[in-house]
């Protein structure tokens, strides 16, 4: 074997020192989830700065010829005091601050490691330590030492993806505080004995800092809280700031800005309170602050402890399919979704069984390859998270996200990356039939659309324990009794006809009432059900419904199978509604009520959605437009530009040469011809989501296409090919069994925590990030996303 010094000299030209902007992967293998803590450690190429586990470094050497690697190993130090009493348990130290990773907040595990670093030369794996370098020539010692130091000092790619701290109590100074207008109305507020001036409530009271009005706070989704009188007062007067009575102390108080829609700081609060006779220095706290209320919610026994199965000794599990995933800082939504997806045979076959082929075909930088990263289910999915979130305004951040939205985002990525070969997302894809019946003419219209998730409504009025909950509200007790909703009531709400009050009927050429019924046109191999727990309150603030639903282990949806056009049933004529146009026919812009559009935009809805709401409700006012928005928020083209019949941006005007090849390929991968994909994109201004919906709504038109959109003549099209294919969906019996569910803890999808339970070999297993244990009491009634698989007949 050659002298190691001579070997280093021979490869010295390939050893680089990291420069600003270089991506250094020193925490995770580019081909697996191996890390410096894994067996064998991590080998970082000293030329490309890609990291590889012990099982893959030889393969990288063989493919690239690179020989010098920095070998990093870490050994976990034993903790003197472990604050967690068991898997899934909340920290023993009670949090006093709505924060993560800082004093007083919720604890975050901070591991301590001993680290060993040396250079390894392949293929013989000759080792060079820092002591060895000291005996070598100056030129070798300088270059190698600088490279080692640069790699170790550089921020790893994963470091930029992690959030170590989050403080929910950091509040900003209100823009209204400095120059707040206060009325000289002579009003003086007593130090106690407050009541709402409208409804006489004696708790959850807020004093407006402009006029001194004492009014109750917001009503919560379960009927508790106030009656919205403070909010209504702001909407009538535009007086922005209010202080929560009972929270005033010499140290401060809860101040809310209705205009800024957030808790804020008021640096002039003592002066503002003194205006109404309140001496801040003598006040004592008598009500829980909003922070204390939220901490109480985050700790309440109904969610965090039950879902994580705290209070029981959970048996840790190990082995294939039982590997946990580290939380990278609000990445539990990703961990839970990926754990479930990789129990589905289609995803295992595509990304696990095929691993050798995937790695052999991986590009020079595997960290940017979807197929390679899709294979990885293991310890800390930093590269995978960075890849699937790249370019997305939410999933590229470290904020908490909605697991359902991420699931759809990931399925969309799978669709784009599986244009040839097996597509595992087909396991979830199904067709929905929508039947709309005009109540005036009794004629019907049938459309089909593709979907991946069933969104199940939660009818709160069907709770079986309303009496017990009403008793708590009457006694002004905290709402600890969870609403119990029968699953059958949710299914009934899903299947019952929806009344459309502003339906334009082509049969009567006018707006009238119609009913819409939704049924399954196909049943997928695997069915995902989302419980619609997140909704809007009366003040349009997002709310989470705290409900218990008796979700069954088996499900039979046969009764919801679509039947198509009924015998003797007449169809509505295919005539488009007349657009709202100005009298000047040369001007194609719609006449829209700008004030209504502005009001909707101020509520936070996208501009194009607001324009469509006003257009499709015929400028009939804010209430009608708001109802339209709430009824179409789940539409895939909700935020897409408004396209009008006859407008230059309308259907059929997008030239073929401007169509996105990526969009064309995505639609073709779903089983349609290029001609059909072209027609769909041209009909929807090249918007992919709208094109997919359009193509499923016009299957009959596509099957009778007599002119090819791809450049061939009609005769060539008719005589030279088979009939156009339909959508590529699987179908079978609508009988299913539950095999997994994802649960959410917290008040919003933007905060809190996700865990998943998966049934493996007839045993329920809880995956709580990297903790994997046998489940003792799976909380199936508190899930958010439920996953079913078809039961063979």
């Amino acid at each position: 074997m050659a002298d190691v010094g001579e070997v280093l000299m021979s490869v010295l030209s390939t050893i680089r020192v990291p420069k600003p902007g270089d991506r250094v992967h020193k925490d995770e293998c580019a081909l697996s989830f191996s890390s410096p803590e894994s067996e064998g450690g991590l080998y970082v190429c000293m030329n490309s700065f890609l990291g590889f586990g012990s099982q893959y470094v030889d393969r990288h050497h063989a493919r690239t010829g690179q020989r010098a690697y920095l070998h990093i190993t870490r050994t976990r130090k034993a903790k003197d005091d472990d604050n967690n009493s068991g898997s899934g348990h909340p920290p023993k130290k009670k949090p006093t601050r709505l924060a993560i990773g800082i004093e007083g907040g919720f604890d975050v595990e901070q591991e301590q490691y001993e680290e060993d670093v040396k250079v390894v030369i392949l293929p013989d794996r000759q080792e060079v330590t820092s002591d060895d370098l000291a005996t070598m020539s100056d030129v070798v010692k300088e270059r190698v030492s600088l490279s080692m130091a640069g790699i170790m000092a550089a921020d790893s790619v994963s470091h930029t993806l992690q959030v170590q701290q989050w403080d929910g109590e950091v509040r900003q100074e209100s823009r209204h505080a400095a120059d707040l207008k206060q009325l000289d109305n002579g009003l003086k507020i007593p130090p106690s004995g407050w009541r709402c001036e409208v409804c006489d409530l004696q708790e959850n009271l807020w004093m407006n800092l402009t006029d001194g009005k004492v009014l109750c706070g917001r009503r919560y989704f379960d009927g508790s809280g106030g009656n919205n009188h403070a909010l209504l007062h702001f909407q009538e007067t535009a007086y922005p700031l209010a202080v929560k009575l009972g929270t005033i102390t010499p140290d401060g108080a809860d101040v809310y800005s209705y205009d800024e829609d957030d808790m804020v700081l008021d640096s002039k609060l003592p002066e503002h309170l003194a205006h109404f006779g309140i001496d801040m220095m003598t006040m004592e706290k008598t009500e829980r602050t909003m922070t204390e209320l939220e901490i109480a919610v985050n700790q309440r026994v109904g969610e965090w402890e039950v879902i994580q199965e705290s209070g029981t000794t959970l048996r840790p599990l190990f082995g294939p399919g039982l590997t946990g995933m580290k939380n990278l800082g609000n990445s539990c939504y990703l961990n839970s979704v990926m754990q479930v997806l990789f129990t589905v045979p289609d995803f295992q076959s595509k990304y696990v069984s095929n691993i050798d082929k995937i790695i052999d075909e991986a590009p020079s930088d595997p960290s940017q390859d979807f197929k390679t990263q899709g294979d990885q289910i293991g310890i800390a999915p930093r590269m995978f998270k960075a890849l699937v979130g790249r370019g997305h305004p939410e999933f590229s951040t470290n904020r908490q996200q909605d697991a359902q939205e991420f699931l759809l985002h990931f399925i969309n990525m799978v669709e784009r990356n599986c244009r040839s070969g097996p597509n595992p997302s087909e396991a979830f894809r199904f067709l929905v039939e929508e039947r709309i019946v005009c109540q005036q003419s009794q004629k019907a219209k049938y459309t089909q659309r593709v979907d991946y998730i069933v969104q199940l409504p939660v009818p709160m009025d069907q709770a079986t324990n309303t009496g017990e909950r009403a008793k708590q509200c009457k006694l002004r007790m905290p709402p600890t009794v969870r609403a119990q909703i029968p699953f059958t009531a949710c299914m009934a709400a899903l299947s019952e006809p929806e009344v459309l009050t502003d339906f334009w009927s082509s049969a009567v050429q006018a707006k009238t009432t119609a009913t819409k019924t939704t049924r399954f046109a196909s049943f997928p191999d695997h069915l995902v059900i989302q419980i619609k727990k997140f909704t809007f309150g009366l003040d349009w603030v997002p709310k989470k419904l705290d409900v218990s639903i008796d979700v069954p282990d088996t499900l039979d949806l046969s009764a919801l199978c679509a039947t198509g056009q009924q015998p003797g049933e007449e169809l509505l004529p295919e005539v488009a509604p007349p657009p709202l146009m100005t009298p000047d026919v040369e001007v194609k812009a719609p006449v829209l009520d700008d004030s209504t559009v502005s009001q909707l935009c101020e509520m936070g809805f996208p501009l194009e959605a607001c324009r469509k709401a006003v257009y499709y409700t015929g400028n009939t006012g804010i209430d009608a437009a708001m109802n339209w928005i709430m009824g179409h928020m789940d539409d895939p083209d909700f935020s897409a530009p408004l396209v009008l019949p006859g407008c230059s941006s309308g259907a059929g005007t997008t030239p073929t040469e401007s169509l996105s090849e990526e969009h064309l390929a995505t639609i073709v991968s779903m089983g349609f011809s290029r001609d059909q994909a072209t027609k769909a994109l041209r009909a929807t201004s090249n918007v992919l989501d709208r094109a997919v919906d359009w193509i499923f709504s016009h299957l009959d038109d596509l099957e009778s296409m007599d002119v090819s959109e791809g450049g061939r003549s009609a005769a060539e099209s008719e005589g030279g090919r088979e009939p156009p294919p339909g959508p590529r969906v699987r179908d079978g019996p609508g009988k299913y069994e539950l095999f997994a569910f994802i649960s959410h803890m917290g008040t919003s999808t933007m905060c809190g925590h996700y865990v998943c339970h998966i049934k493996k070999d007839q045993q329920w297993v809880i995956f709580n990030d990297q903790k994997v244990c046998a489940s003792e009491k799976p909380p199936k009634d508190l899930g958010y996303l439920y996953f079913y698989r078809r039961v063979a007949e």
Side-chain angles (χ1 to χ4, degrees):
M1 184 180 297
D3 177 75
V4 68
E6 295 176 359
V7 175
L8 264 182
M9 178 63 77
S10 68
V11 300
L12 198 62
S13 62
T14 68
I15 297 178
R16 297 175 51 226
V17 178
K19 304 188 300 293
D22 281 339
R23 297 166 57 89
V24 179
H25 297 269
K26 64 179 183 181
D27 284 335
E28 184 180 2
C29 173
L31 297 174
S32 72
F33 283 152
S34 297
S35 71
E37 300 92 72
S38 303
E39 183 177 356
L42 190 73
Y43 293 80
V44 180
C45 175
M46 299 180 79
N47 180 270
S48 66
F49 309 123
L50 288 169
F52 298 93
S54 180
Q55 70 272 43
Y56 294 117
V57 64
D58 290 308
R59 191 179 306 216
H60 181 257
H61 159 69
R63 287 189 63 181
T64 65
Q66 296 297 330
R67 299 184 62 191
Y69 295 82
L70 188 64
H71 185 213
I72 307 172
T73 58
R74 297 193 191 115
T75 305
R76 181 183 176 186
K77 293 181 180 179
K79 292 184 179 180
D80 294 333
D81 179 29
D82 194 338
N83 287 330
N84 290 335
S85 59
S87 176
H89 287 209
K92 290 182 178 179
K93 184 178 179 181
K94 184 177 180 180
T96 58
R97 186 175 182 85
L98 187 62
I100 295 175
I102 65 176
E103 182 63 30
F106 290 87
D107 286 345
V108 176
E109 288 187 1
Q110 297 292 337
E111 305 286 3
Q112 299 295 323
Y113 295 95
E114 293 179 351
E115 196 167 59
D116 181 64
V117 179
K118 55 180 172 286
V119 176
V120 173
I121 308 298
L122 266 63
D124 298 323
R125 300 208 180 197
Q126 294 171 273
E127 298 182 353
V128 182
T129 66
S130 297
D131 292 339
D132 295 332
L133 276 178
T135 66
M136 297 182 183
S137 65
D138 290 343
V139 63
V140 171
K141 178 169 59 178
E142 180 179 7
R143 170 66 69 85
V144 176
S145 296
L146 285 174
S147 179
M148 292 175 66
I151 292 173
M152 297 307 297
D155 280 341
S156 67
V157 172
S158 64
H159 177 79
T160 63
L161 303 176
Q162 290 179 317
V163 172
Q164 299 300 331
Q165 295 183 351
W166 169 74
D167 192 345
E169 291 185 42
V170 175
R171 297 173 182 174
Q172 303 299 319
E173 177 77 7
S174 171
R175 63 172 177 263
H176 301 290
D179 302 309
L180 183 69
K181 177 183 176 182
Q182 290 191 286
L183 303 185
D184 293 323
N185 53 14
L187 188 62
K188 299 300 178 184
I189 304 300
S192 61
W194 311 294
R195 293 175 181 269
C196 174
E197 297 183 22
V198 178
C199 66
D200 266 357
L201 276 182
Q202 300 179 50
E203 59 185 14
N204 192 19
L205 299 176
W206 296 76
M207 184 190 78
N208 191 284
L209 289 173
T210 294
D211 61 5
K213 288 278 189 182
V214 176
L215 299 163
C216 60
R218 302 173 191 260
R219 178 184 294 124
Y220 303 138
F221 62 86
D222 60 0
S224 64
N227 291 314
N228 295 316
H229 290 136
L231 173 65
L232 294 172
H233 183 62
F234 162 72
Q235 293 173 345
E236 294 170 359
T237 63
Y239 297 157
L241 300 184
V243 61
K244 186 176 184 183
L245 297 176
T247 68
I248 304 171
T249 69
D251 296 323
D254 276 357
V255 178
Y256 189 82
S257 172
Y258 288 100
D259 180 54
E260 295 159 286
D261 195 21
D262 205 353
M263 302 297 296
V264 296
L265 295 178
D266 178 2
S267 58
K268 292 188 175 183
L269 183 59
E271 175 185 329
H272 293 154
L273 291 173
H275 181 84
F276 296 107
I278 298 177
D279 183 358
M280 186 171 171
M281 302 307 294
T282 64
M283 297 297 289
E284 294 182 359
K285 180 173 171 293
T286 59
E287 283 243 349
R288 287 193 294 180
T289 66
M290 299 305 290
T291 297
E292 290 169 337
L293 288 171
E294 191 159 353
I295 289 175
V297 168
N298 285 336
Q299 288 187 300
R300 68 172 177 240
V301 172
E303 271 195 346
W304 291 80
E305 292 194 0
V306 173
I307 289 176
Q308 295 187 108
E309 301 190 54
S310 300
T312 58
T313 302
L314 299 180
R315 176 171 55 90
L317 298 176
F318 307 94
L322 298 170
T323 303
M325 299 172 70
K326 285 184 179 178
N327 193 321
L328 306 179
N330 289 329
S331 66
C332 53
Y333 69 91
L334 178 148
N335 294 350
S336 296
V337 169
M338 299 311 298
Q339 290 283 14
V340 173
L341 286 183
F342 275 79
T343 64
V344 175
D346 295 79
F347 283 86
Q348 291 177 344
S349 174
K350 179 72 175 181
Y351 297 115
V352 180
S353 304
N354 221 10
I355 178 60
D356 288 333
K357 183 174 184 293
I358 289 174
I359 291 177
D360 288 339
E361 296 176 355
S364 58
D365 185 357
S367 69
Q368 304 301 304
D369 180 54
F370 182 83
K371 286 192 297 182
T372 307
Q373 298 306 316
D375 159 70
Q376 303 183 29
I377 290 295
I379 304 302
R382 298 182 182 97
M383 293 183 195
F384 175 77
K385 182 177 184 294
L387 179 62
V388 297
R390 186 174 58 193
H392 192 280
E394 288 299 328
F395 299 126
S396 60
T397 72
N398 291 315
R399 295 189 292 269
Q400 184 62 279
Q401 304 296 339
D402 186 342
Q404 180 257 359
E405 291 181 2
F406 175 74
L407 173 59
L408 289 178
H409 171 71
F410 183 74
I411 287 176
N412 188 37
M413 290 197 72
V414 171
E415 294 278 14
R416 294 202 306 266
N417 285 274
C418 295
R419 293 170 184 155
S420 60
N423 182 348
S425 66
E426 290 179 10
F428 298 110
R429 190 190 300 158
F430 62 95
L431 284 179
V432 175
E433 177 189 272
E434 291 184 346
R435 175 178 179 259
I436 299 178
V437 178
C438 167
Q439 293 302 290
Q440 190 168 339
S441 67
Q442 290 302 307
K443 295 183 179 181
K445 175 183 180 181
Y446 289 86
T447 59
Q448 286 189 341
R449 58 179 172 83
V450 70
D451 215 332
Y452 297 88
I453 294 179
V454 176
Q455 294 184 313
L456 201 60
V458 180
M460 293 297 291
D461 59 343
Q462 298 295 310
T464 58
N465 59 339
T466 52
E468 191 176 356
R469 288 162 53 80
K471 180 180 178 181
Q472 278 201 330
C473 291
K474 185 176 180 180
L475 296 175
R476 294 179 179 171
M477 297 169 60
T480 57
V481 177
R482 179 173 292 110
Q484 297 176 2
I485 313 294
F487 183 79
T488 52
C490 298
M491 292 301 298
L494 173 72
S495 59
E496 68 182 8
E498 176 187 353
V499 178
L500 308 177
T501 56
D502 266 334
F503 177 73
W504 190 87
S505 170
S506 59
V508 300
Q509 291 289 300
K511 285 186 177 181
T512 184
T513 301
T515 57
K516 181 174 76 172
T517 306
T518 303
R519 293 290 185 267
F520 288 90
S522 68
F523 289 114
D525 287 351
H526 292 77
L527 181 72
V528 185
I529 295 179
Q530 175 198 13
I531 305 296
K532 296 184 70 174
K533 291 187 173 185
F534 299 98
T535 183
F536 288 92
L538 297 176
D539 49 9
W540 304 111
V541 174
K543 307 286 186 183
K544 179 181 176 181
L545 303 179
D546 189 15
V547 295
S548 168
I549 301 176
D550 57 337
V551 176
D553 289 320
T554 59
L555 196 59
D556 188 350
L557 300 178
S558 304
L560 296 180
C561 183
T563 57
Q565 185 177 356
Q566 302 299 299
E569 184 177 52
E570 291 188 58
L571 298 181
L572 285 164
E574 289 289 338
V575 179
L580 290 173
M581 299 298 227
T582 61
D584 184 355
V585 293
E586 296 300 321
V587 181
K588 300 299 184 181
V591 179
L592 299 178
D593 184 345
D594 290 337
S595 64
T596 304
V597 173
S598 298
Q599 288 181 65
L600 294 172
C601 288
E602 288 171 1
M603 294 180 186
F605 299 110
L607 172 61
E608 289 299 330
C610 300
R611 297 181 71 238
K612 283 192 284 189
V614 175
Y615 172 72
Y616 287 117
T617 56
N619 287 325
T620 54
I622 184 69
D623 289 339
M626 178 59 71
N627 288 334
W628 187 95
I629 280 184
M630 300 311 295
H632 292 77
M633 288 183 67
D634 295 329
D635 292 357
D637 62 346
F638 179 66
S639 303
L642 173 63
V643 179
L644 301 172
C647 289
S648 59
S649 61
T653 62
T654 304
T656 302
E657 59 269 17
S658 69
L659 295 179
S660 164
E661 282 297 326
E662 182 178 3
H663 291 355
L664 284 168
T666 297
I667 297 176
V668 169
S669 74
M670 299 174 71
F672 296 98
S673 69
R674 184 178 177 88
D675 291 350
Q676 293 171 318
T678 299
K679 185 169 184 178
L681 287 168
R682 289 182 63 183
T684 54
S685 300
N686 204 22
V687 179
L688 178 60
D689 289 341
R690 295 179 57 224
V692 172
D693 266 3
W694 186 94
I695 206 169
F696 282 108
S697 301
H698 294 76
L699 293 177
D700 292 340
D701 297 342
L702 293 174
E703 290 173 0
S704 60
M705 283 172 59
D706 56 357
V707 177
S708 169
E709 301 286 353
R712 294 177 293 172
S713 68
E716 290 173 331
S717 298
E718 291 173 2
R721 60 174 175 156
E722 295 293 322
R728 186 177 296 152
V729 294
R730 305 172 188 175
D731 199 5
K735 296 182 179 180
Y736 296 91
E737 65 178 358
L738 183 69
F739 74 91
F741 60 96
I742 295 174
S743 307
H744 173 267
M745 295 154 280
T747 58
S748 164
T749 54
M750 299 297 102
C751 66
H753 185 56
Y754 286 95
V755 303
C756 69
H757 286 73
I758 303 175
K759 198 171 188 179
K760 291 178 176 284
D761 299 325
Q762 303 306 310
Q763 164 71 56
W764 281 101
V765 178
I766 178 174
F767 291 79
N768 189 353
D769 289 330
Q770 66 198 78
K771 300 170 184 175
V772 181
C773 300
S775 173
E776 297 293 334
K777 297 179 180 179
K780 289 182 285 187
D781 60 320
L782 300 181
Y784 175 48
L785 296 176
Y786 292 88
F787 295 79
Y788 286 84
R789 56 187 165 219
R790 195 194 317 277
V791 178
E793 291 284 5

